[in-house]
Amino acid sequence: LKPWARSVEKLVRSYGGDPSRILDCCRCAIIFQSTSLLFGCLETIIHDPDIEVVRIRNRMDLGYDGAETAGFRNVTLNLRFRTEQARKLGVDGHICELQLSLVAFTKSLNAVSHRRYHILRNCRQSLSG
């Protein structure tokens, strides 16, 4: 789960106080050995009738500017589950985030690189706001 302090920060800084725009409170990742496995999984998810894909951010695309994420690349999906069980539990409207990543990128992450990303993100938001 996204820490509540980051959710509030994102709400104020990026979303003009609109909580419906926070789509990654609940998130998880699947890490793959190869791009072919990653994109095979993506294809399976896209064609699953029990899943509604709300948004895809393809940071693996060659046209993507890696400066936005300090060089990190992945595919991020925001999705809803459209099953009878999800309806019974009252979570069929809930949007969660699924990050599809490669082992090579994931291994490069550490506390220092993640802190650098936070600094970059905060500077970028300060300049645009």
Side-chain angles (χ1 to χ4, degrees):
L1 294 175
K2 178 184 282 298
W4 71 268
R6 174 63 184 134
S7 293
V8 170
E9 178 184 301
K10 203 171 190 180
L11 177 68
V12 172
R13 279 189 178 178
S14 303
Y15 298 147
D18 180 1
S20 70
R21 295 188 58 202
I22 298 176
L23 303 179
D24 61 347
C25 286
C26 177
R27 60 185 173 183
C28 65
I30 303 173
I31 302 167
F32 299 90
Q33 291 289 334
S34 69
T35 53
S36 61
L37 291 172
L38 186 152
F39 285 107
C41 177
L42 177 61
E43 191 73 21
T44 299
I45 291 168
I46 288 170
H47 291 99
D48 188 322
D50 292 334
I51 297 174
E52 174 191 351
V53 177
V54 177
R55 178 175 71 178
I56 299 175
R57 288 189 306 193
N58 183 359
R59 296 182 183 118
M60 301 291 285
D61 187 290
L62 295 176
Y64 176 76
D65 181 2
E68 291 287 317
T69 53
F72 187 73
R73 305 251 179 182
N74 69 3
V75 176
T76 301
L77 302 162
N78 293 110
L79 46 90
R80 285 188 187 105
F81 291 95
R82 295 300 191 187
T83 64
E84 186 58 35
Q85 183 178 9
R87 280 186 283 287
K88 286 179 182 176
L89 292 171
V91 296
D92 56 319
H94 179 75
I95 298 173
C96 59
E97 181 176 282
L98 176 60
Q99 299 172 357
L100 307 179
S101 301
L102 293 173
V103 170
F105 283 113
T106 304
K107 282 184 177 179
S108 71
L109 295 177
N110 58 46
V112 173
S113 65
H114 197 65
R115 179 70 186 134
R116 245 186 246 130
Y117 167 71
H118 282 213
I119 292 167
L120 172 67
R121 181 191 67 212
N122 291 339
C123 288
R124 197 172 52 236
Q125 288 174 339
S126 294
L127 290 173
S128 66

